[in-house]
Amino acid sequence: MAQILGALSTSHVPAIGRAIANKLQQDPYWKPYFDGWAPVHRWLAEHKPDVAVVFYNDHGLNFFLDKMPTFAIGAAPVYRNADEGWGIPQVADFAGDQDLSWHLIEQLVGEGFDLTTCQEMLVDHAVTNPLQMMYPGQAWGARIVPVCINTVQFPLPSARRCWALGDAVGRAVRAWDSDARVVMLGSGGLSHQLDGQRAGFINKDFDLAFLESLAHDPRWATRFDTRQLVEQAGTQGVELLMWLAARAALGDKAVRVHQNYHIPISNTASGLLLMTPSG
Ligand code: DHB
Ligand code: FE
């Protein structure tokens, strides 16, 4: 059966793509962010995942406000990045894993998750950022299965539902008849708000409480409804739902292997967390 190696969650910001393109890794502004990835690179070199299930939120590239699935999953042989309008170079195509995609679709729809299945799917910076950070040079070491959670148009799925989704994905991966080594990715957050009266809002206390909860009380965030999460983390900070889904896939017991937190990159409180299943 397939094995889940761990859950890796990270913030995403289009400016990361620009910093990589302009080789700004050692620039004083960017260094605290890029340096945070060194332990993750060592872990990846040791554990070599074959597939990454990527919980992320699309920002208007693949889905626009006219058609907005709550949960969508890729079932494509290949995923292409395209111009989002941020002026960052596009990255190489990502290979999909259709066997895992259809296994997840069968299992999750069977459990009552009404997923939108996408046999074609463009992926934006929320997918490219973490993969570029994991595999500098765009030599993608893992196939991907993108799982998109709506955080851009209300009503959003609840934290409780995102936990349930991640939990179901985790159980389905562990039941997949394959010898693949799988990593869960969560892409989004932490606190940030790009628009409105609170533009620039960051909530360090809440971010640190959330990070701590993932290690010691992982369902903690499910007590908040999505409006309370927006209040605490900002209109875009609610992207932290991706971290909750990735964490849930590990089951209740898991150990924290690495954490980095740095304010800000662009308008965002940047977090990085690597956890592995325990026992
Ligand atoms: C920024 C953050 C995001 O999550 C995003 O999707 C786009 C931009 C930012 O901080 O600039
Ligand atoms: Fe975002």
Coordinates of all heavy atoms in Angstrom, one line a residue, residues 16-110:
I16 N 7.6 35.3 -4.8 CA 8.6 34.3 -4.7 C 9.0 33.8 -6.1 O 10.2 33.6 -6.3 CB 8.0 33.1 -3.9 CG1 7.7 33.5 -2.5 CG2 9.0 31.9 -3.9 CD1 6.9 32.4 -1.7
G17 N 8.1 33.7 -7.0 CA 8.4 33.3 -8.4 C 9.4 34.3 -9.0 O 10.4 34.0 -9.7
R18 N 9.1 35.6 -8.7 CA 10.0 36.7 -9.3 C 11.4 36.6 -8.6 O 12.4 36.8 -9.2 CB 9.3 38.1 -9.1 CG 10.0 39.1 -10.0 CD 9.2 40.4 -10.0 NE 7.8 40.2 -10.2 CZ 6.9 40.5 -9.3 NH1 7.2 41.1 -8.1 NH2 5.6 40.3 -9.5
A19 N 11.4 36.4 -7.3 CA 12.7 36.3 -6.5 C 13.5 35.2 -7.1 O 14.7 35.3 -7.2 CB 12.4 36.2 -5.0
I20 N 12.9 34.0 -7.4 CA 13.6 32.9 -7.9 C 14.2 33.3 -9.3 O 15.3 33.1 -9.6 CB 12.7 31.6 -8.0 CG1 12.4 31.2 -6.6 CG2 13.4 30.5 -8.8 CD1 11.3 30.1 -6.5
A21 N 13.3 33.9 -10.1 CA 13.7 34.2 -11.5 C 14.9 35.2 -11.5 O 15.8 35.2 -12.3 CB 12.5 34.8 -12.3
N22 N 14.9 36.1 -10.5 CA 15.9 37.1 -10.4 C 17.1 36.7 -9.5 O 17.9 37.5 -9.1 CB 15.3 38.5 -9.9 CG 14.4 39.0 -11.0 OD1 14.5 38.8 -12.2 ND2 13.3 39.8 -10.5
K23 N 17.1 35.5 -9.0 CA 18.1 34.9 -8.2 C 18.4 35.7 -6.9 O 19.5 36.1 -6.6 CB 19.4 34.7 -9.0 CG 19.3 33.8 -10.2 CD 20.6 33.5 -10.8 CE 20.6 32.4 -11.8 NZ 19.6 32.6 -13.0
L24 N 17.3 36.1 -6.2 CA 17.4 36.9 -5.0 C 17.5 36.1 -3.7 O 17.3 36.7 -2.6 CB 16.2 37.9 -5.0 CG 16.1 38.9 -6.1 CD1 14.9 39.8 -6.0 CD2 17.4 39.7 -6.2
Q25 N 17.9 34.8 -3.8 CA 17.9 34.0 -2.6 C 18.7 34.5 -1.5 O 18.4 34.3 -0.3 CB 18.3 32.6 -3.0 CG 17.3 31.8 -3.8 CD 17.4 32.0 -5.3 OE1 18.0 32.9 -5.7 NE2 16.9 31.1 -6.1
Q26 N 19.8 35.2 -1.8 CA 20.7 35.7 -0.8 C 20.5 37.2 -0.5 O 21.1 37.8 0.4 CB 22.2 35.6 -1.3 CG 22.7 34.1 -1.4 CD 22.5 33.3 -0.1 OE1 22.9 33.8 0.9 NE2 21.9 32.1 -0.2
D27 N 19.5 37.8 -1.1 CA 19.2 39.2 -0.9 C 18.6 39.3 0.6 O 17.9 38.4 1.0 CB 18.1 39.6 -1.9 CG 17.6 41.0 -1.7 OD1 16.8 41.3 -0.8 OD2 18.1 41.8 -2.4
P28 N 19.1 40.3 1.4 CA 18.7 40.4 2.8 C 17.2 40.3 3.0 O 16.7 39.7 4.0 CB 19.2 41.7 3.2 CG 20.3 42.1 2.3 CD 20.0 41.4 1.0
Y29 N 16.4 40.8 2.1 CA 14.9 40.7 2.2 C 14.4 39.3 2.1 O 13.5 38.9 2.9 CB 14.2 41.6 1.1 CG 12.7 41.6 1.2 CD1 12.1 42.5 2.0 CD2 12.0 40.7 0.5 CE1 10.7 42.5 2.1 CE2 10.6 40.7 0.6 CZ 9.9 41.6 1.4 OH 8.6 41.6 1.4
W30 N 15.0 38.5 1.2 CA 14.5 37.2 0.9 C 15.2 36.1 1.7 O 14.6 35.0 1.8 CB 14.6 36.9 -0.6 CG 13.6 37.6 -1.4 CD1 13.8 38.8 -2.2 CD2 12.2 37.3 -1.5 NE1 12.6 39.2 -2.7 CE2 11.6 38.3 -2.3 CE3 11.4 36.3 -1.0 CZ2 10.2 38.3 -2.6 CZ3 10.1 36.3 -1.3 CH2 9.5 37.2 -2.1
K31 N 16.4 36.4 2.1 CA 17.2 35.3 2.7 C 16.5 34.5 3.9 O 16.5 33.3 3.9 CB 18.6 35.9 3.2 CG 19.6 34.8 3.6 CD 21.0 35.5 3.8 CE 22.0 34.6 4.5 NZ 22.1 33.3 3.9
P32 N 15.8 35.2 4.8 CA 15.2 34.5 5.9 C 14.1 33.5 5.4 O 13.9 32.5 6.0 CB 14.6 35.6 6.8 CG 15.2 36.9 6.4 CD 15.7 36.7 4.9
Y33 N 13.5 33.9 4.3 CA 12.5 33.0 3.7 C 13.2 31.8 3.0 O 12.9 30.6 3.3 CB 11.6 33.7 2.7 CG 10.8 32.8 1.9 CD1 9.7 32.2 2.5 CD2 11.1 32.4 0.6 CE1 8.9 31.3 1.8 CE2 10.4 31.5 -0.1 CZ 9.3 30.9 0.5 OH 8.5 30.0 -0.2
F34 N 14.1 32.0 2.1 CA 14.8 30.9 1.4 C 15.6 30.0 2.3 O 15.6 28.8 2.2 CB 15.7 31.5 0.3 CG 14.9 31.9 -0.9 CD1 14.5 33.2 -1.1 CD2 14.4 30.9 -1.9 CE1 13.7 33.6 -2.2 CE2 13.7 31.3 -3.0 CZ 13.3 32.6 -3.1
D35 N 16.3 30.6 3.3 CA 17.1 29.8 4.2 C 16.2 28.8 5.0 O 16.7 27.7 5.4 CB 17.8 30.7 5.2 CG 19.1 31.3 4.6 OD1 19.3 31.0 3.4 OD2 19.7 32.1 5.3
G36 N 14.9 29.2 5.2 CA 14.0 28.3 6.0 C 13.8 27.0 5.3 O 13.4 26.0 6.0
W37 N 14.1 26.9 4.0 CA 13.9 25.6 3.3 C 15.0 24.6 3.4 O 14.8 23.4 2.9 CB 13.6 25.9 1.8 CG 12.2 26.4 1.6 CD1 11.7 27.7 1.9 CD2 11.1 25.7 1.2 NE1 10.3 27.7 1.7 CE2 9.9 26.5 1.2 CE3 10.9 24.3 0.8 CZ2 8.7 26.1 0.8 CZ3 9.6 23.9 0.4 CH2 8.5 24.8 0.4
A38 N 16.2 25.0 3.9 CA 17.3 24.0 3.9 C 17.0 22.7 4.6 O 17.3 21.6 4.0 CB 18.5 24.7 4.5
P39 N 16.4 22.7 5.7 CA 16.0 21.4 6.4 C 15.0 20.6 5.5 O 15.1 19.4 5.5 CB 15.4 21.8 7.7 CG 15.9 23.1 8.0 CD 16.0 23.8 6.7
V40 N 14.1 21.3 4.8 CA 13.2 20.6 3.9 C 13.9 19.9 2.8 O 13.6 18.8 2.4 CB 12.1 21.6 3.4 CG1 11.2 20.9 2.4 CG2 11.3 22.1 4.6
H41 N 14.9 20.6 2.2 CA 15.7 20.0 1.1 C 16.4 18.7 1.6 O 16.5 17.7 0.9 CB 16.7 21.0 0.6 CG 16.0 22.1 -0.2 ND1 16.5 23.4 -0.3 CD2 14.8 22.2 -0.8 CE1 15.7 24.2 -0.9 NE2 14.6 23.5 -1.3
R42 N 16.9 18.8 2.8 CA 17.6 17.6 3.3 C 16.6 16.5 3.5 O 16.9 15.3 3.2 CB 18.3 17.9 4.7 CG 19.6 18.8 4.5 CD 20.4 18.8 5.8 NE 19.8 19.6 6.9 CZ 19.9 20.9 7.0 NH1 20.6 21.6 6.1 NH2 19.3 21.5 8.0
W43 N 15.4 16.8 4.0 CA 14.4 15.8 4.2 C 14.0 15.2 2.9 O 13.8 14.0 2.8 CB 13.2 16.4 5.0 CG 12.1 15.4 5.3 CD1 12.1 14.6 6.4 CD2 10.9 15.2 4.6 NE1 11.0 13.9 6.4 CE2 10.2 14.2 5.3 CE3 10.4 15.7 3.4 CZ2 9.0 13.7 4.9 CZ3 9.2 15.2 3.0 CH2 8.5 14.2 3.7
L44 N 13.8 16.0 1.9 CA 13.4 15.5 0.6 C 14.4 14.6 -0.1 O 14.1 13.6 -0.7 CB 13.1 16.7 -0.4 CG 11.8 17.5 -0.1 CD1 11.8 18.8 -0.9 CD2 10.5 16.6 -0.4
A45 N 15.7 15.0 0.1 CA 16.8 14.2 -0.5 C 16.8 12.8 0.2 O 17.1 11.8 -0.4 CB 18.1 14.9 -0.2
E46 N 16.5 12.8 1.5 CA 16.5 11.5 2.2 C 15.2 10.7 1.9 O 15.3 9.5 1.7 CB 16.5 11.8 3.7 CG 16.8 10.5 4.5 CD 16.8 10.8 6.0 OE1 17.2 11.9 6.4 OE2 16.6 9.9 6.8
H47 N 14.1 11.3 1.8 CA 12.8 10.5 1.7 C 12.2 10.4 0.3 O 11.4 9.5 0.1 CB 11.8 11.1 2.7 CG 12.2 11.0 4.1 ND1 12.0 9.9 4.8 CD2 12.9 11.9 4.9 CE1 12.5 10.0 6.0 NE2 13.0 11.2 6.1
K48 N 12.6 11.3 -0.6 CA 12.3 11.2 -2.0 C 10.9 10.7 -2.3 O 10.6 9.6 -2.8 CB 13.2 10.1 -2.7 CG 14.7 10.5 -2.7 CD 15.5 9.5 -3.5 CE 17.0 9.8 -3.5 NZ 17.6 9.9 -2.2
P49 N 9.9 11.6 -2.1 CA 8.5 11.3 -2.4 C 8.4 11.1 -4.0 O 9.1 11.8 -4.8 CB 7.7 12.6 -2.0 CG 8.7 13.6 -1.8 CD 10.1 13.0 -1.5
D50 N 7.4 10.2 -4.3 CA 7.1 10.0 -5.8 C 6.0 10.9 -6.2 O 5.9 11.2 -7.4 CB 6.7 8.5 -6.0 CG 7.7 7.5 -5.5 OD1 8.8 7.6 -6.0 OD2 7.4 6.7 -4.6
V51 N 5.1 11.2 -5.3 CA 3.9 12.0 -5.6 C 3.6 13.0 -4.6 O 3.8 12.7 -3.4 CB 2.6 11.1 -5.7 CG1 1.5 11.8 -6.4 CG2 2.9 9.8 -6.4
A52 N 3.1 14.2 -5.0 CA 2.7 15.2 -4.0 C 1.2 15.4 -4.3 O 0.8 15.7 -5.4 CB 3.5 16.5 -4.2
V53 N 0.4 15.3 -3.2 CA -1.0 15.7 -3.3 C -1.0 17.2 -2.8 O -0.6 17.5 -1.6 CB -1.9 14.9 -2.4 CG1 -3.3 15.4 -2.3 CG2 -1.9 13.4 -2.8
V54 N -1.4 18.1 -3.7 CA -1.2 19.5 -3.4 C -2.6 20.2 -3.0 O -3.4 20.4 -3.9 CB -0.6 20.3 -4.6 CG1 -0.2 21.7 -4.1 CG2 0.6 19.5 -5.2
F55 N -2.8 20.5 -1.8 CA -4.0 21.2 -1.4 C -3.7 22.7 -1.6 O -2.7 23.2 -1.0 CB -4.4 21.0 0.1 CG -4.7 19.6 0.4 CD1 -3.8 18.7 0.9 CD2 -6.0 19.2 0.2 CE1 -4.2 17.4 1.3 CE2 -6.4 17.9 0.5 CZ -5.5 17.0 1.0
Y56 N -4.5 23.4 -2.5 CA -4.2 24.8 -2.8 C -5.4 25.5 -3.2 O -6.5 24.8 -3.4 CB -3.1 24.8 -4.0 CG -3.8 24.6 -5.3 CD1 -3.9 25.7 -6.2 CD2 -4.3 23.4 -5.7 CE1 -4.5 25.5 -7.4 CE2 -4.9 23.2 -6.9 CZ -5.0 24.3 -7.8 OH -5.6 24.1 -9.0
N57 N -5.4 26.8 -3.3 CA -6.5 27.5 -3.8 C -6.1 28.3 -5.1 O -5.1 28.9 -5.1 CB -7.0 28.5 -2.7 CG -5.9 29.5 -2.3 OD1 -5.0 29.2 -1.7 ND2 -6.1 30.8 -2.7
D58 N -6.9 28.0 -6.1 CA -6.7 28.8 -7.3 C -7.2 30.2 -7.1 O -8.0 30.5 -6.3 CB -7.6 28.1 -8.4 CG -7.5 28.8 -9.8 OD1 -6.5 28.5 -10.5 OD2 -8.3 29.6 -10.1
H59 N -6.5 31.2 -7.8 CA -6.8 32.6 -7.7 C -7.4 33.2 -8.9 O -7.2 34.4 -9.2 CB -5.5 33.3 -7.3 CG -4.8 32.9 -6.1 ND1 -4.0 31.7 -6.0 CD2 -4.7 33.5 -4.9 CE1 -3.5 31.6 -4.8 NE2 -3.9 32.6 -4.1
G60 N -8.1 32.4 -9.7 CA -8.7 33.0 -10.9 C -8.0 32.6 -12.2 O -8.4 33.1 -13.3
L61 N -7.1 31.7 -12.2 CA -6.4 31.2 -13.4 C -7.3 30.1 -14.0 O -7.6 30.1 -15.2 CB -5.0 30.7 -13.1 CG -4.3 30.2 -14.3 CD1 -4.0 31.3 -15.3 CD2 -3.0 29.5 -14.0
N62 N -7.6 29.1 -13.2 CA -8.3 27.9 -13.7 C -9.8 28.1 -13.5 O -10.6 27.7 -14.3 CB -7.9 26.6 -13.1 CG -8.4 25.4 -13.9 OD1 -8.0 25.2 -15.0 ND2 -9.3 24.7 -13.3
F63 N -10.2 28.6 -12.4 CA -11.6 28.9 -12.1 C -11.8 30.4 -11.9 O -11.1 31.0 -11.1 CB -12.0 28.2 -10.7 CG -11.8 26.7 -10.8 CD1 -10.8 26.1 -10.0 CD2 -12.5 25.9 -11.6 CE1 -10.6 24.7 -10.0 CE2 -12.3 24.5 -11.6 CZ -11.3 23.9 -10.8
F64 N -12.9 30.9 -12.4 CA -13.2 32.3 -12.2 C -14.5 32.4 -11.4 O -15.1 31.4 -11.1 CB -13.2 33.1 -13.5 CG -13.0 34.6 -13.2 CD1 -11.9 35.1 -12.6 CD2 -14.0 35.5 -13.6 CE1 -11.7 36.4 -12.3 CE2 -13.8 36.8 -13.3 CZ -12.7 37.3 -12.7
L65 N -14.9 33.6 -11.1 CA -16.1 33.8 -10.2 C -17.4 33.2 -10.8 O -18.3 32.9 -10.1 CB -16.2 35.2 -9.8 CG -15.0 35.9 -9.1 CD1 -15.3 37.3 -8.8 CD2 -14.6 35.1 -7.9
D66 N -17.4 33.1 -12.1 CA -18.6 32.6 -12.8 C -18.8 31.1 -12.5 O -19.9 30.6 -12.6 CB -18.6 32.9 -14.3 CG -17.4 32.3 -15.0 OD1 -16.3 32.0 -14.3 OD2 -17.4 32.1 -16.2
K67 N -17.7 30.3 -12.3 CA -17.8 28.9 -12.0 C -16.8 28.6 -11.0 O -15.6 28.5 -11.2 CB -17.5 28.1 -13.3 CG -18.4 28.3 -14.5 CD -18.0 27.5 -15.7 CE -18.7 28.0 -16.9 NZ -18.1 29.2 -17.4
M68 N -17.3 28.3 -9.7 CA -16.4 28.2 -8.6 C -16.8 26.9 -7.8 O -17.7 26.9 -7.0 CB -16.6 29.4 -7.7 CG -15.6 29.4 -6.5 SD -13.9 29.3 -7.0 CE -13.7 30.8 -7.9
P69 N -16.0 25.8 -8.1 CA -16.3 24.6 -7.3 C -15.7 24.8 -5.9 O -14.7 25.5 -5.7 CB -15.5 23.5 -8.0 CG -14.4 24.3 -8.7 CD -15.0 25.6 -9.1
T70 N -16.4 24.2 -4.9 CA -15.9 24.3 -3.5 C -14.7 23.4 -3.4 O -13.7 23.9 -2.8 CB -17.0 23.8 -2.6 OG1 -18.2 24.7 -2.7 CG2 -16.6 23.8 -1.1
F71 N -14.8 22.2 -3.9 CA -13.6 21.3 -3.9 C -13.5 20.8 -5.3 O -14.4 20.3 -5.9 CB -13.8 20.1 -3.0 CG -13.9 20.4 -1.5 CD1 -15.0 19.9 -0.8 CD2 -13.0 21.2 -0.9 CE1 -15.1 20.1 0.6 CE2 -13.1 21.5 0.5 CZ -14.2 20.9 1.2
A72 N -12.2 20.9 -5.9 CA -12.0 20.3 -7.2 C -10.7 19.5 -7.1 O -9.8 19.8 -6.3 CB -11.8 21.4 -8.2
I73 N -10.6 18.5 -8.0 CA -9.4 17.6 -8.0 C -9.0 17.4 -9.4 O -9.8 17.2 -10.3 CB -9.7 16.3 -7.3 CG1 -8.4 15.4 -7.2 CG2 -10.8 15.5 -7.8 CD1 -8.5 14.3 -6.3
G74 N -7.7 17.4 -9.6 CA -7.1 17.2 -10.9 C -7.0 15.7 -11.3 O -6.7 14.9 -10.4
A75 N -7.4 15.4 -12.5 CA -7.2 14.0 -13.0 C -6.6 14.1 -14.4 O -6.9 13.4 -15.3 CB -8.6 13.3 -13.1
A76 N -5.6 14.9 -14.5 CA -4.9 15.2 -15.8 C -3.6 14.5 -15.9 O -3.0 14.2 -14.8 CB -4.8 16.7 -16.0
P77 N -3.2 14.1 -17.1 CA -1.8 13.6 -17.2 C -0.7 14.6 -17.0 O 0.4 14.3 -16.6 CB -1.8 13.1 -18.7 CG -2.9 13.8 -19.4 CD -3.9 14.2 -18.3
V78 N -1.1 15.9 -17.3 CA -0.1 16.9 -17.1 C -0.8 18.2 -16.7 O -1.9 18.5 -17.1 CB 0.7 17.1 -18.5 CG1 -0.2 17.5 -19.6 CG2 1.9 18.0 -18.4
Y79 N -0.1 19.0 -15.9 CA -0.7 20.3 -15.5 C 0.2 21.4 -15.9 O 1.5 21.4 -15.7 CB -0.8 20.3 -13.9 CG -1.7 19.2 -13.4 CD1 -1.2 18.0 -13.1 CD2 -3.1 19.4 -13.4 CE1 -2.0 17.0 -12.6 CE2 -3.9 18.4 -13.0 CZ -3.3 17.2 -12.6 OH -4.2 16.2 -12.2
R80 N -0.4 22.4 -16.6 CA 0.4 23.5 -17.1 C 0.2 24.8 -16.3 O -0.9 25.0 -15.8 CB -0.1 23.8 -18.6 CG 1.0 24.1 -19.6 CD 0.6 23.9 -21.0 NE -0.8 24.4 -21.3 CZ -1.2 25.6 -21.4 NH1 -0.4 26.6 -21.3 NH2 -2.4 25.9 -21.7
N81 N 1.3 25.5 -16.1 CA 1.2 26.9 -15.5 C 1.0 27.9 -16.6 O 1.3 27.6 -17.8 CB 2.6 27.1 -14.8 CG 2.7 28.5 -14.2 OD1 3.8 29.1 -14.2 ND2 1.6 29.0 -13.5
A82 N 0.3 29.0 -16.3 CA 0.1 30.0 -17.4 C 0.2 31.4 -16.7 O 0.3 31.5 -15.5 CB -1.3 29.8 -18.0
D83 N 0.2 32.4 -17.6 CA 0.4 33.8 -17.1 C -0.8 34.2 -16.3 O -1.9 34.2 -16.7 CB 0.5 34.7 -18.3 CG 0.9 36.1 -18.0 OD1 1.1 36.4 -16.8 OD2 0.9 36.9 -18.9
E84 N -0.5 34.6 -15.0 CA -1.6 35.1 -14.1 C -1.7 36.6 -14.1 O -2.5 37.1 -13.4 CB -1.3 34.6 -12.7 CG -1.3 33.2 -12.4 CD -0.9 32.9 -11.0 OE1 -1.6 33.3 -10.1 OE2 0.2 32.3 -10.8
G85 N -0.7 37.2 -14.8 CA -0.7 38.7 -14.8 C 0.2 39.3 -13.8 O 0.2 40.5 -13.7
W86 N 1.0 38.5 -13.1 CA 2.0 39.0 -12.2 C 3.3 39.3 -12.8 O 4.2 39.8 -12.1 CB 2.2 38.0 -11.0 CG 1.0 37.7 -10.2 CD1 0.2 36.6 -10.2 CD2 0.5 38.5 -9.1 NE1 -0.8 36.7 -9.3 CE2 -0.6 37.8 -8.6 CE3 0.8 39.8 -8.5 CZ2 -1.4 38.3 -7.5 CZ3 0.1 40.2 -7.5 CH2 -1.0 39.5 -7.0
G87 N 3.5 39.0 -14.1 CA 4.7 39.3 -14.7 C 5.9 38.3 -14.3 O 7.0 38.7 -14.4
I88 N 5.5 37.1 -13.9 CA 6.6 36.2 -13.5 C 6.6 35.1 -14.6 O 5.6 34.7 -15.2 CB 6.3 35.5 -12.1 CG1 4.9 35.0 -12.0 CG2 6.7 36.5 -11.0 CD1 4.7 34.3 -10.6
P89 N 7.9 34.6 -14.8 CA 8.0 33.6 -15.9 C 7.2 32.3 -15.6 O 7.1 31.9 -14.4 CB 9.5 33.2 -15.9 CG 10.2 34.2 -15.1 CD 9.1 34.8 -14.2
Q90 N 6.7 31.7 -16.6 CA 6.0 30.4 -16.4 C 7.0 29.3 -16.2 O 8.2 29.4 -16.6 CB 5.2 30.0 -17.7 CG 3.7 30.6 -17.6 CD 3.7 32.1 -17.9 OE1 3.8 32.5 -19.0 NE2 3.7 32.9 -16.9
V91 N 6.6 28.3 -15.5 CA 7.5 27.2 -15.1 C 7.1 25.9 -16.0 O 6.1 25.9 -16.6 CB 7.4 26.8 -13.6 CG1 7.7 28.1 -12.8 CG2 6.1 26.2 -13.2
A92 N 8.0 24.9 -15.9 CA 7.8 23.7 -16.7 C 6.6 23.0 -16.3 O 6.1 23.1 -15.1 CB 9.1 22.8 -16.5
D93 N 6.0 22.2 -17.2 CA 4.8 21.4 -16.9 C 5.0 20.4 -15.8 O 6.2 19.9 -15.6 CB 4.4 20.6 -18.2 CG 3.9 21.5 -19.3 OD1 3.8 22.7 -19.1 OD2 3.7 21.0 -20.4
F94 N 4.0 20.1 -15.1 CA 4.0 19.1 -14.0 C 3.4 17.8 -14.5 O 2.3 17.9 -15.0 CB 3.3 19.6 -12.8 CG 3.8 20.9 -12.2 CD1 3.3 22.1 -12.5 CD2 4.9 20.8 -11.3 CE1 3.8 23.3 -12.0 CE2 5.4 22.0 -10.8 CZ 4.8 23.2 -11.1
A95 N 4.0 16.7 -14.2 CA 3.4 15.4 -14.6 C 2.3 15.1 -13.5 O 2.6 15.3 -12.3 CB 4.4 14.3 -14.6
G96 N 1.2 14.6 -13.9 CA 0.1 14.2 -13.0 C 0.3 12.7 -12.7 O 1.2 12.0 -13.2
D97 N -0.5 12.2 -11.7 CA -0.6 10.8 -11.4 C -2.1 10.4 -11.5 O -2.8 10.5 -10.5 CB 0.0 10.5 -10.0 CG 0.1 9.0 -9.8 OD1 -0.8 8.3 -10.1 OD2 1.1 8.6 -9.2
Q98 N -2.5 10.0 -12.7 CA -3.9 9.8 -12.9 C -4.4 8.6 -12.1 O -5.6 8.6 -11.8 CB -4.2 9.6 -14.4 CG -4.1 10.9 -15.2 CD -4.3 10.7 -16.7 OE1 -3.5 10.0 -17.3 NE2 -5.4 11.2 -17.2
D99 N -3.5 7.6 -11.9 CA -4.0 6.5 -11.1 C -4.4 6.9 -9.7 O -5.5 6.6 -9.2 CB -2.8 5.4 -11.0 CG -3.3 4.1 -10.5 OD1 -4.5 3.8 -10.7 OD2 -2.5 3.5 -9.8
L100 N -3.6 7.7 -9.1 CA -3.9 8.3 -7.7 C -5.1 9.2 -7.8 O -6.0 9.1 -7.0 CB -2.7 9.0 -7.1 CG -3.0 9.6 -5.7 CD1 -3.6 8.6 -4.7 CD2 -1.8 10.2 -5.1
S101 N -5.2 10.0 -8.9 CA -6.3 10.9 -9.0 C -7.6 10.2 -9.0 O -8.6 10.5 -8.2 CB -6.2 11.7 -10.3 OG -5.2 12.7 -10.3
W102 N -7.7 9.1 -9.8 CA -9.0 8.4 -10.0 C -9.3 7.6 -8.7 O -10.4 7.4 -8.3 CB -9.1 7.6 -11.3 CG -9.2 8.5 -12.4 CD1 -8.3 8.9 -13.4 CD2 -10.4 9.3 -12.7 NE1 -8.9 9.8 -14.3 CE2 -10.1 10.1 -13.9 CE3 -11.7 9.5 -12.1 CZ2 -11.1 11.0 -14.5 CZ3 -12.6 10.4 -12.7 CH2 -12.3 11.1 -13.8
H103 N -8.2 7.1 -8.1 CA -8.5 6.4 -6.8 C -9.0 7.4 -5.8 O -10.0 7.0 -5.1 CB -7.1 5.8 -6.3 CG -7.2 5.2 -5.0 ND1 -7.8 4.0 -4.7 CD2 -6.7 5.7 -3.8 CE1 -7.8 3.8 -3.4 NE2 -7.1 4.8 -2.8
L104 N -8.5 8.6 -5.7 CA -9.0 9.5 -4.7 C -10.4 9.9 -5.1 O -11.3 10.0 -4.2 CB -8.1 10.8 -4.7 CG -6.7 10.6 -4.1 CD1 -5.9 11.9 -4.2 CD2 -6.8 10.2 -2.6
I105 N -10.7 10.1 -6.3 CA -12.1 10.5 -6.8 C -13.1 9.4 -6.4 O -14.1 9.7 -5.8 CB -12.1 10.8 -8.3 CG1 -11.3 12.1 -8.6 CG2 -13.5 11.0 -8.8 CD1 -10.9 12.3 -10.0
E106 N -12.7 8.2 -6.7 CA -13.6 7.1 -6.3 C -13.9 7.0 -4.8 O -15.0 6.9 -4.4 CB -13.0 5.7 -6.7 CG -12.8 5.5 -8.2 CD -14.1 4.9 -8.8 OE1 -15.1 4.6 -8.0 OE2 -14.2 4.8 -10.0
Q107 N -12.8 7.1 -4.0 CA -12.9 7.0 -2.6 C -13.7 8.2 -2.0 O -14.6 8.0 -1.1 CB -11.5 6.9 -1.9 CG -10.7 5.7 -2.3 CD -11.4 4.4 -1.9 OE1 -11.7 4.3 -0.7 NE2 -11.6 3.5 -2.8
L108 N -13.3 9.4 -2.4 CA -13.9 10.6 -1.8 C -15.4 10.8 -2.2 O -16.2 11.1 -1.4 CB -13.1 11.8 -2.2 CG -11.7 11.9 -1.6 CD1 -10.8 12.9 -2.2 CD2 -11.8 12.1 -0.1
V109 N -15.7 10.6 -3.5 CA -17.1 10.7 -3.9 C -17.9 9.6 -3.2 O -19.0 9.8 -2.7 CB -17.2 10.6 -5.5 CG1 -18.7 10.5 -5.9 CG2 -16.6 11.8 -6.1
G110 N -17.3 8.4 -3.0 CA -17.9 7.3 -2.3 C -18.2 7.7 -0.9 O -19.1 7.2 -0.2

